[in-house]
Amino acid sequence: MLFSRYLGGLAGGLLLASSVTAAPADSKGVSQDEDFFRRRAIEARAGDNKKVSQDEDFFVRRELTNRALTIDPNNKNGRQPWPDNTLTYCFANDDSKDKLAELVKEGFEEWKKAGDIHHLKIKKEDHCDTKKHLVITYVKGQMRTTVGFLSGDTTMKFDPDLKGYGDKKINMAHELGHAFGFFHEQQRPDAKNHVKFECENLKDYEDILKANNGNKETVKRLCENHFEATTEGFSARDFAPLTDMGLDESGDFNMDSIMRYNSEMGGKRALKIGPRKSVLTDLNGKDLKDIKKVDGKDVDRLNRIYH
């Protein structure tokens, strides 16, 4: 199943920055659009799918800085593949270039090692044009990327020192997946048939529970609703299913996708010093195999977008 059309990032060790720090929440951005997201959450709770659909492009632009589903290249009203099958990128400043230039190349090489990329190319420009380029910036403690091409607002924020998948090249490959047009695999509507989401093990679960006066039913709803979790700045937004978003969900769930989080990403630590608790497991509660490379099926999906 292709899940690609948002903004993406890593959670948990990455939060890549959020621990997911992978797709840690962009608190500032969420705060700026707080009224909008609260309205969206209310509409989603009320089942006003028509309104949700009408606001989809704005929502995707603001929130999708992290999530693999994929963009639908046939949906002309949403996020698009990169023009001329070429992802053109630049670095926001010299510090970002010094820290990330080689890593971007290495991340793309990870994709090429997984299979034959038919048409997509990446190209570096020395001077940034925010309307045409993926603007890459070194930002300590963050790992977030716009999903697909969005003129005037396509960015990657990356910290190579975040844990994420435990390999900075694989972390970069994941973020490039978002830039290509992929969302998180665990957010496919059918993911519940393949993996188990242990929301109570999220790093910020207790904080969200406290903010909602200990009401576990309310927090359970947040764990299951992407819009509402986003409104609350709750990291469950990187796990809750993306539904009614006009994404390309074709194909089967890919357990080996580079866009699927490892089990402990975004998890809280036992006694605050031990290993992270598992947030994603198989249906029997066992940890998932760690992702260590781009999967061949990811490349197949990529070739469906760029052809």
Side-chain angles (χ1 to χ4, degrees), residues 78-195:
R79 266 164 208 288
Q80 295 297 303
W82 284 85
D84 301 321
N85 288 337
T86 303
L87 187 160
T88 307
Y89 67 96
C90 63
F91 295 99
N93 49 52
D94 289 341
D95 185 46
S96 298
K97 180 179 179 180
D98 292 343
K99 287 183 168 67
L100 303 176
E102 287 304 312
L103 198 52
V104 171
K105 295 179 183 178
E106 292 173 349
F108 191 50
E109 284 300 317
E110 291 297 318
W111 278 85
K112 296 199 302 187
K113 286 193 299 185
D116 182 15
I117 297 176
H118 296 165
H119 299 288
L120 177 67
K121 302 180 293 293
I122 66 171
K123 177 183 177 183
K124 184 178 77 66
E125 292 289 351
D126 293 330
H127 301 288
C128 286
D129 182 338
T130 57
K131 293 184 178 180
K132 298 179 179 180
H133 302 155
L134 171 66
V135 181
I136 302 176
T137 309
Y138 164 75
V139 180
K140 186 175 178 60
Q142 290 196 35
M143 207 167 294
R144 297 179 64 83
T145 304
T146 303
V147 174
F149 174 71
L150 184 65
S151 179
D153 190 23
T154 309
T155 62
M156 176 190 294
K157 299 176 181 179
F158 194 93
D159 181 350
D161 294 325
L162 290 174
K163 180 182 177 182
Y165 290 101
D167 183 330
K168 60 183 67 177
K169 296 192 301 295
I170 301 305
N171 292 348
M172 178 58 75
H174 176 100
E175 294 305 312
L176 285 174
H178 287 308
F180 297 157
F182 286 74
F183 291 99
H184 290 142
E185 194 75 3
Q186 70 267 10
Q187 292 187 274
R188 287 172 54 114
D190 65 344
K192 63 184 179 181
N193 299 324
H194 305 274
V195 295

Side-chain angles (χ1 to χ4, degrees), residues 121-283:
K121 302 180 293 293
I122 66 171
K123 177 183 177 183
K124 184 178 77 66
E125 292 289 351
D126 293 330
H127 301 288
C128 286
D129 182 338
T130 57
K131 293 184 178 180
K132 298 179 179 180
H133 302 155
L134 171 66
V135 181
I136 302 176
T137 309
Y138 164 75
V139 180
K140 186 175 178 60
Q142 290 196 35
M143 207 167 294
R144 297 179 64 83
T145 304
T146 303
V147 174
F149 174 71
L150 184 65
S151 179
D153 190 23
T154 309
T155 62
M156 176 190 294
K157 299 176 181 179
F158 194 93
D159 181 350
D161 294 325
L162 290 174
K163 180 182 177 182
Y165 290 101
D167 183 330
K168 60 183 67 177
K169 296 192 301 295
I170 301 305
N171 292 348
M172 178 58 75
H174 176 100
E175 294 305 312
L176 285 174
H178 287 308
F180 297 157
F182 286 74
F183 291 99
H184 290 142
E185 194 75 3
Q186 70 267 10
Q187 292 187 274
R188 287 172 54 114
D190 65 344
K192 63 184 179 181
N193 299 324
H194 305 274
V195 295
K196 191 175 180 182
F197 170 36
E198 301 286 0
C199 191
E200 293 183 7
N201 288 340
L202 284 171
K203 183 178 180 180
D204 53 350
Y205 179 86
E206 298 301 331
D207 291 336
I208 294 297
L209 183 63
K210 182 177 181 180
N212 285 275
N213 300 315
N215 190 323
K216 290 189 176 183
E217 286 302 311
T218 296
V219 178
K220 181 177 184 292
R221 189 180 68 240
L222 297 179
C223 291
E224 299 170 348
N225 189 299
H226 175 72
F227 296 129
E228 293 194 56
T230 298
T231 300
E232 297 291 331
F234 184 21
S235 63
R237 69 182 189 173
D238 293 325
F239 299 86
L242 296 171
T243 57
D244 300 321
M245 297 297 294
L247 305 183
D248 182 352
E249 304 170 16
S250 59
D252 297 325
F253 182 89
N254 183 10
M255 189 68 79
D256 298 321
S257 175
I258 185 65
M259 305 312 295
R260 190 263 292 168
Y261 283 172
N262 286 344
S263 289
E264 79 286 355
M265 285 182 174
K268 57 188 173 186
R269 296 184 183 278
L271 303 178
K272 297 185 178 181
I273 58 173
R276 294 186 185 277
K277 292 190 174 183
S278 296
V279 176
L280 283 181
T281 69
D282 67 17
L283 297 181

